[in-house]
Amino acid sequence: MMKPLDDTYFMKKALQEAEAALEKGEIPIGAVVVIKDRIIARAHNLTETLNDVTAHAEMQAITAAANFLGGKYLKDCTLYVTIEPCQMCAGALYWSQISRVVYGARDEQRGCINMKTKLHPKTVLTGGILEKEASEILKRFFIEKRNLN
Amino acid sequence: MMKPLDDTYFMKKALQEAEAALEKGEIPIGAVVVIKDRIIARAHNLTETLNDVTAHAEMQAITAAANFLGGKYLKDCTLYVTIEPCQMCAGALYWSQISRVVYGARDEQRGCINMKTKLHPKTVLTGGILEKEASEILKRFFIEKRNLN
C-alpha cells in the first residue's frame, strides 16, 4: 500500500532542505510549498551565502511558489517549514494569503507566535510536526559552530 | 550655498522611486538606503511586475544595500521609505540591525506600529517626512485604478 502524503511526509522534505543548508554552513532551516500533494517549491536558508538577511527559507519558497503558479497569492497552498517563522516570514505569508502554514519546532524568542505577528485570516497555523528532528539539526549546527570558534 | 543633505532631501529620492512604481502600475512606494550621505540602494515596489508579495521597496533596498556593502548588516545606514513599513519589511529591518528608518506617511492599518512588529533595539524610527507627498501619490494611484475598473 502506498504511504499517504501527510504532514510528516512533507516535513521530511523540508528537513532535507535544512540538511542542505547545514552542509553549506547556514543556519539549518528548510521549507517546501505544497499544492494538491505536489511540491512546487523547495528552499533553505541562504543568509550567509547571499549576504542577505531576507534570504530565509520561507521567503525564497514563497517567491518560488508564486513563480511556479504565475500569480502572487498562494491559495490552496501549504508551506512546511522546519522552524516557526519569524516576523518577516510571517509578514510575507500574510501578504501571500496562503491557506496553511505547518512548522516543526517553536522559536520562542523570535518566532511569530510570541512576537504576535499577524497571519492572514485565511491562514491556518499548525505546529509540532517532526519537532524533535527540526530542533536537533539546529542544535547540531550551534554545537559545531561553537567547536569551530 | 549648498543645500544640506537632510531627511527631506533623501525622502525626495524615495518619492522619485514611488513615482517610478506608479508609472509601472505598481502601488507607488519607494525607498532608498543611505550611508554617510551617500545613496547605496534605490528601489520601488514591484509586487505586480514580479508576481511576488515579497517584492516591497524596502525588501529590495535591504538586499541591494547589503550587496553594495558586502555584508548583511546595515550598520550606520538609514532607510528612507515613503510609507511606514509593514510587518514583513519591519521584520527584515529587524534582522538587518539598521541604524535608522525614516518613513513618510503612516499606514494605520498594516504598518508596523499598529501591528506591533519589533524593530531591532539599535534602530531609531522617525516618521512624517514629506508625509503629504507620500500619501498623495498613493491616493492618486487608487483614484486612477478605480477609474480604470
Side-chain angles (χ1 to χ4, degrees):
Chain A
M1 214 178 89
M2 268 184 67
K3 258 193 175 178
L5 301 182
D6 58 7
D7 284 349
T8 305
Y9 175 87
F10 290 115
M11 189 59 81
K12 274 184 187 159
K13 301 295 178 188
L15 280 164
Q16 286 172 6
E17 288 296 318
E19 288 282 352
L22 187 70
E23 279 166 30
K24 292 175 183 165
E26 296 278 357
I27 296 181
I29 300 176
V32 298
V33 176
V34 174
I35 187 166
K36 292 176 190 157
D37 284 348
R38 183 178 172 192
I39 296 175
I40 60 168
R42 298 168 196 261
H44 52 265
N45 178 39
L46 283 174
T47 49
E48 295 303 318
T49 308
L50 300 179
N51 256 333
D52 187 348
V53 295
T54 75
H56 283 192
E58 301 95 312
M59 301 300 282
Q60 296 175 79
I62 292 166
T63 298
N67 194 42
F68 176 88
L69 295 171
K72 65 189 198 304
Y73 297 116
L74 304 184
K75 199 178 162 277
D76 301 327
C77 291
T78 301
L79 176 112
Y80 292 86
V81 59
T82 55
I83 303 292
E84 180 194 336
C86 72
Q87 299 187 114
M88 171 180 69
C89 295
L93 290 163
Y94 171 94
W95 290 120
S96 79
Q97 303 188 15
I98 197 164
S99 298
R100 242 183 119 214
V101 174
V102 181
Y103 64 87
R106 281 288 303 273
D107 178 355
E108 303 272 353
Q109 274 202 302
R110 285 164 164 181
C112 59
I113 298 172
N114 284 348
M115 292 295 240
K116 298 187 170 46
T117 315
K118 278 201 186 70
L119 287 171
H120 197 276
K122 287 180 191 165
T123 307
V124 178
L125 182 67
T126 308
I129 309 295
L130 299 181
E131 181 177 358
K132 211 181 131 204
E133 290 82 346
S135 62
E136 276 302 324
I137 186 170
L138 260 191
K139 269 182 216 150
R140 248 165 71 204
F141 172 80
F142 287 112
I143 289 168
E144 281 171 27
K145 211 181 164 186
R146 201 162 44 218
N147 292 345
L148 284 172
N149 289 338
Chain B
M1 215 179 90
M2 268 186 67
K3 259 194 174 176
L5 301 183
D6 57 7
D7 284 347
T8 305
Y9 175 86
F10 291 116
M11 189 58 80
K12 275 184 187 161
K13 302 294 180 190
L15 279 165
Q16 286 172 6
E17 288 296 317
E19 289 282 352
L22 186 70
E23 280 167 29
K24 292 175 185 164
E26 296 279 356
I27 296 181
I29 300 175
V32 298
V33 176
V34 173
I35 188 165
K36 291 176 191 156
D37 284 348
R38 183 178 171 192
I39 296 175
I40 59 167
R42 299 169 195 260
H44 52 265
N45 178 39
L46 283 175
T47 49
E48 295 302 320
T49 308
L50 300 178
N51 256 334
D52 187 347
V53 296
T54 75
H56 283 192
E58 300 94 312
M59 300 301 282
Q60 296 175 78
I62 291 167
T63 299
N67 194 41
F68 177 89
L69 295 171
K72 66 189 196 307
Y73 298 116
L74 304 184
K75 197 177 163 276
D76 301 326
C77 290
T78 300
L79 175 111
Y80 292 86
V81 59
T82 55
I83 304 290
E84 179 194 337
C86 72
Q87 299 187 116
M88 170 181 69
C89 295
L93 290 162
Y94 171 93
W95 290 119
S96 79
Q97 303 189 14
I98 198 164
S99 298
R100 241 183 121 214
V101 174
V102 181
Y103 65 87
R106 281 289 302 274
D107 179 355
E108 303 272 353
Q109 274 202 302
R110 286 164 164 181
C112 60
I113 298 172
N114 284 348
M115 292 294 241
K116 297 187 171 47
T117 315
K118 278 202 186 71
L119 288 170
H120 197 276
K122 286 180 191 164
T123 306
V124 178
L125 182 68
T126 307
I129 308 297
L130 299 181
E131 182 177 356
K132 210 181 130 206
E133 290 82 348
S135 61
E136 277 302 324
I137 187 170
L138 260 192
K139 270 181 216 152
R140 248 165 70 203
F141 171 80
F142 287 111
I143 288 169
E144 281 172 26
K145 210 181 164 186
R146 200 160 46 216
N147 291 344
L148 284 174
N149 289 338

